[in-house]
Amino acid sequence: MGNVESHGLTKSWRSQFTSDERTILDHVFDTMTGSQPSEVTKSGKAVQKHVTLAMLKAFVHEAVLGTMTVRLYNGLRSIDPVKKTDSYSDAISKKQFVAFLSHVMRGTAEEKAFVIQRMISQGVEGSVKGRQIKEFTEDLISAVIHLLQDENMLRDWFMDKTADSVYGTFRLATNLMSQLKANDGQDLTAGDVLTTNYGQHELKNWVYRVSHIPAFLHLFVALGLHITNSESHGELFSTKHLLPQCRGIKYTGVFTIFDIPSVFFLNTYLPSEHQNQWQMLYSSQFHGESFTRFCSLILRKGPSLLVIKDSDGYVFGGYASHSWDARPQFQGDSKCFLFTLQPKLGIYNCTGYNDHYMYLNHGQQTMPNGLGMGGQFHYFGLWVDGDYGGGHSKAKPRCTTYNSPQLSAQEHFVIDSMELWRVGNPPEDPLSQPKSVLDSEPEAQALLHMIGKIRMSDGLRDPSEEGEE
């Protein structure tokens, strides 16, 4: 098994799990082998059970892609806890099964890199090409999305209400691959990333830097092997900081600009207190193309994400760390950032050059009217005109506040669609809570119901929200 012993595979892997978790893992393994926990031989010894590839294929979650099942098998069979042989096993023992799960769910970056390398290389030791890592990364992301969808665990992000996840998966995998470093630590061009060979050391550093990879691997194994599902959220599994709860589109026909991989990507860069829940406050598709309407729905609502799709198909936006307030001064702090989602993923943080983080003004004659982030008046990194319909993203060569390039396809862009999402819990200020004028007019509400009409605002409120109000 080569350098397996250097990974500490001989330690007690079962001790990495609680007694309740060990019970779950025992049940999963026994179910895979189709045997009973108490089976013994004629001599009274416990039966040594093994899982073959055929058994694994019959057991894994039906949403797992065929390629990923084989990758999983190669990862499992590559681990030899007692190092009795230099060859790889064709059947997986209980010790191998537990050791593999310990690597994936409790392991160090080195242990996770060991598993990933074996899943990529079909169990063979040695370096792997960048293109092989990219194929594995795309397969892994796709499998996780399929599993979450099949288990109804997308947290109200519906596939038919989000943008195409196939293209989003490609962009996310490309972004994650860009963080691979050569063995001398040097950055590589996009072409070189795919043709370079990477060993355990480079993979370990990649896993350590890129939190998405171990999170996706954990999800894939936990759901793919039925260790957990939508009915059992335990210590072995959590999507809390990977995918936020989506509020505001469940009961509407709204189709959001976001795709699932883009949500994975953006949520990682938000403060932890803003990662659990996103709520749509404004959608040009639903509320109409009015800057006045836009302002009325977003003021004093807490931190938020603005996302824009321009007429050329580019998708970009910004994270506002503070509530938006209409006034002729800059606001916010250095936690704000700009981002791109299409044609590629990118995050652009503050440089410290100035404090022009956020700007929103409306109805003034002496100051610019519109929404801006970064740069300066008439030269913003991101700007939406106060008369709606267009904006600009100026950077020659970079925005001074965020070090961002031009976000849109054209410097002056036309808005195709625009959304604003509150992130985290609503602020405590009651003035910031979304209300309808009809909330204080029960007679008007009753009249609407009598003639078979509904309030437009009802569609953007989850039942739980109305109860809270």
Side-chain angles (χ1 to χ4, degrees), residues 136-152:
F136 166 79
T137 304
E138 290 178 355
D139 287 347
L140 181 61
I141 297 169
S142 296
V144 166
I145 293 174
H146 278 88
L147 285 163
L148 291 175
Q149 181 184 20
D150 205 70
E151 283 293 323
N152 296 315

Side-chain angles (χ1 to χ4, degrees), residues 71-239:
R71 292 189 189 280
L72 179 60
Y73 168 72
N74 286 325
L76 283 160
R77 75 189 183 97
S78 298
I79 295 178
D80 186 351
V82 294
K83 195 168 184 303
K84 289 182 177 179
T85 176
D86 288 330
S87 62
Y88 296 108
S89 60
D90 290 325
I92 301 150
S93 68
K94 179 72 166 291
K95 288 182 178 179
Q96 285 177 298
F97 175 72
V98 175
F100 174 83
L101 293 177
S102 177
H103 274 41
V104 170
M105 297 177 174
R106 300 286 190 269
T108 63
E110 184 177 11
E111 290 169 332
K112 289 181 173 70
F114 172 85
V115 167
I116 289 170
Q117 189 277 332
R118 296 308 195 272
M119 292 177 73
I120 293 172
S121 65
Q122 301 183 38
V124 178
E125 195 174 338
S127 62
V128 291
K129 288 282 187 185
R131 65 171 58 91
Q132 292 177 282
I133 301 174
K134 188 164 190 271
E135 289 172 1
F136 166 79
T137 304
E138 290 178 355
D139 287 347
L140 181 61
I141 297 169
S142 296
V144 166
I145 293 174
H146 278 88
L147 285 163
L148 291 175
Q149 181 184 20
D150 205 70
E151 283 293 323
N152 296 315
M153 295 175 71
L154 283 175
R155 308 194 76 190
D156 290 336
W157 292 94
F158 300 99
M159 299 295 286
D160 60 347
K161 293 186 176 184
T162 57
D164 192 335
S165 285
V166 173
Y167 294 110
T169 295
F170 173 82
R171 290 193 295 272
L172 179 54
T174 300
N175 176 269
L176 299 181
M177 287 293 297
S178 69
Q179 299 179 62
L180 263 172
K181 306 291 183 183
N183 56 14
D184 57 2
Q186 296 296 312
D187 292 330
L188 301 168
T189 65
D192 288 341
V193 165
L194 299 181
T195 57
T196 299
N197 289 320
Y198 301 91
Q200 285 288 302
H201 178 72
E202 291 76 48
L203 285 173
K204 180 192 73 173
N205 290 338
W206 185 55
V207 169
Y208 181 79
R209 286 194 306 270
V210 183
S211 61
H212 284 99
I213 297 301
F216 288 146
L217 183 63
H218 185 129
L219 276 175
F220 167 70
V221 171
L223 289 173
L225 290 176
H226 304 282
I227 293 171
T228 189
N229 53 39
S230 55
E231 311 270 315
S232 59
H233 293 273
E235 289 292 323
L236 286 172
F237 176 76
S238 173
T239 59

Side-chain angles (χ1 to χ4, degrees), residues 329-368:
Q329 294 96 27
F330 286 99
Q331 49 198 288
D333 61 23
S334 60
K335 294 179 182 177
C336 297
F337 59 78
L338 294 178
F339 61 83
T340 56
L341 300 181
Q342 191 170 317
K344 65 178 182 179
L345 303 178
I347 296 289
Y348 308 101
N349 293 305
C350 294
T351 62
Y353 181 84
N354 58 38
D355 61 356
H356 298 175
Y357 309 118
M358 301 162 53
Y359 174 88
L360 177 63
N361 200 28
H362 184 52
Q364 296 285 324
Q365 293 184 349
T366 58
M367 299 293 286

Side-chain angles (χ1 to χ4, degrees), residues 8 31 42 75 86 88 147 149 166 178 212 247 285 298 313 332 351 356 379-380 389 400 426 454 461 465:
T31 304
K42 291 181 179 179
D86 288 330
Y88 296 108
L147 285 163
Q149 181 184 20
V166 173
S178 69
H212 284 99
R247 302 185 71 171
Q285 173 197 153
I298 73 164
T351 62
H356 298 175
Y379 208 89
F380 281 91
T400 54
I454 63 170
R461 303 186 191 186
E465 294 177 82

